[in-house]
Amino acid sequence: MNSSERKTKTVENICPIFKKRNKTEVNLNSPSKLNKFNVELEKENSNPSVPEFFNLMGLGMLSSDESSNSAASAFAAATGVCFGGDENSNEATPNLDAPKLHLIPKTTTILNDSITDNACFLDPNETLKPTNFNVNNNIRSPLSAIMTNSRPQTAKPPTMAVPSTSSSSTTTSSLSTFSSLINSRPSTSAEALSSVKKQVFADSGFFLYRQRNRESSGPDYFSRLSDEIVLEIFKWLPKKALIRCSSVCRKFNQLTADESLWTRLDLGGKHIRAGAFSHILSRGVIIFRLAQCEMVHPTFDKKFLDSYPDYQSKLQYLDLSMVSITKLSLKQLLGRCRQLKKLSLEHVPINDEICDQIAKNINLESLNLAMCEGLQSWSVRHLMTELVNLNSLNISWTWLSVDAINALVSTITPNLLRLNMAGCRKTMFDSHLLTLSKRCKQLLELDLSDCTGLTAEAMKIVFSFQSLGYLSLSRCYGISATSYMDLNKLPSLQYLDVFGILSDNALRVLEHSFPNIGINKFIHSSVARPTVGTRRTSIWGLRTRD
């Protein structure tokens, strides 16, 4: 079956979106020739408008390709129901069982030098016999029964009532009235007929209409599906399609709000309207990516906060890297998060109040504060004291003061496995590294790039990290090149980055001396960062898109 045949083959849609009824008008006062009736079919676009919930959830900006899979195609695959039309279309399948109107050509009448095709619109299910009348020994049908959605807006002719039901007796009485009026005229001339026409059809918009029965027939396949099966089908739909499905019926509205469908959500690079998080987080989102998005203050609706003053979200993985947000909104958002396991605030301005909200997530395992501004010594000490389960910390290029670094190395949790302190120019010294080695003996990754205050003595301290597998000392100009020849004292080391220090000849000698160590393999550090490389559909190895 080709595509054209597939589009024409339709089956009755059990949950149709009713279109506006087609309307066919016959205007006998038209100045054009009466040999053909001007029949126009008005169609109303049945695509449902985007619900208000789109804007509330901030999903109106989602790209259109995410909604390429429709709910109809998903249910067709599960139940074997064939829906007519394009599989990506939202239009309802027309009801094939509804009565249809047929144009039955009759004879031809010459009237005022105009040729009129005598025709009658009849319902095949009704036994309605048209009443004919004679004009100049010619036969013509009195009027055509035409279906429309509403009555004409202009005044009705006083000599004939417009029927408002689909009853055949009402239509027959109207046609009989018209026939008796015509036959009662003593003159059969064209002028007489013209006067009759002006009397009966004084309103140029006059027409009859018949309502069509919309009773559905056939089995209801949707009601046979259990909630579990529907949820399994909904899991394959993108978020934009889920919101469209929520407007189908009450059952779908309840099922699309199930928390299992909203476990992960990706709104990276989008514009989030004010108060949108009241509707988003209430769906039970756990994995949430908001990198490079723009948030409008406030993040939560005031009525929502008044109704649920103690509300706490279920967020565990939150990526807020490079977001555009006010400090007050960020504090309000993090104040509703107490179950965070991994958090990224890269390149986001913070203050002591925001750090206090972060510290209340005692189960936090990974924290990325790279390039954050506003980090003070009190905030660093408070974070390191409360976050005892932290195993990955990226605090690079935060322009920490000497006091802040002292607070960091003296209070950091011993459970830390990965640490990035790059960019501490002239503020980090060998004494800080010595204190760190005494508290964190299990470090696996250590990045000290651009810490120009370190000297050759720092290499002897690094050798005390017996579990260290990755070390970065790029642009640490205070460390001499000969100090790297003692790397055999660190048997666990697998990768070493020394960008900007050694010449090409020195690098070749170092590679030849330590063939089991990868030299300068990583340009950027991946410590606590949610995404690495070109992977933009996952954070910390977890998918954010369905």
Side-chain angles (χ1 to χ4, degrees), residues 308-322:
Y308 307 96
D310 299 329
Y311 171 77
Q312 298 297 332
S313 68
K314 296 184 178 181
L315 282 175
Q316 296 183 14
Y317 304 89
L318 180 59
D319 182 10
L320 294 173
S321 302
M322 294 176 285

Side-chain angles (χ1 to χ4, degrees), residues 29 32 78 157 164 169 172 176 203 206 221 225 251 255 283 304 310 318 324 343 369 400-401 413 466 485 522:
N29 283 335
S32 61
S164 59
S169 60
T172 306
S176 301
D203 186 2
F206 172 74
Y221 294 100
L225 298 177
K251 178 180 179 181
L255 292 178
R283 296 251 164 174
F304 178 82
D310 299 329
L318 180 59
S324 177
L343 173 64
L369 298 177
L400 296 177
S401 62
T413 173
Q466 294 299 318
M485 301 306 297
F522 305 98

Side-chain angles (χ1 to χ4, degrees), residues 73-104:
S73 60
F75 275 100
T79 61
V81 181
C82 178
F83 296 90
D86 188 1
E87 63 178 1
N88 293 330
S89 175
N90 291 324
E91 296 186 1
T93 305
N95 193 338
L96 299 181
D97 296 333
K100 299 176 177 57
L101 301 178
H102 300 274
L103 182 63
I104 306 175

Side-chain angles (χ1 to χ4, degrees), residues 129-173:
K129 183 177 180 180
T131 304
N132 299 326
F133 61 95
N134 297 329
V135 178
N136 292 336
N137 296 328
N138 292 310
I139 302 175
R140 176 184 174 179
S141 64
L143 192 61
S144 300
I146 300 172
M147 179 178 63
T148 184
N149 186 39
S150 61
R151 300 189 179 188
Q153 299 298 327
T154 56
K156 302 176 183 178
T159 57
M160 179 177 295
V162 179
S164 59
T165 63
S166 60
S167 174
S168 59
S169 60
T170 306
T171 306
T172 306
S173 62

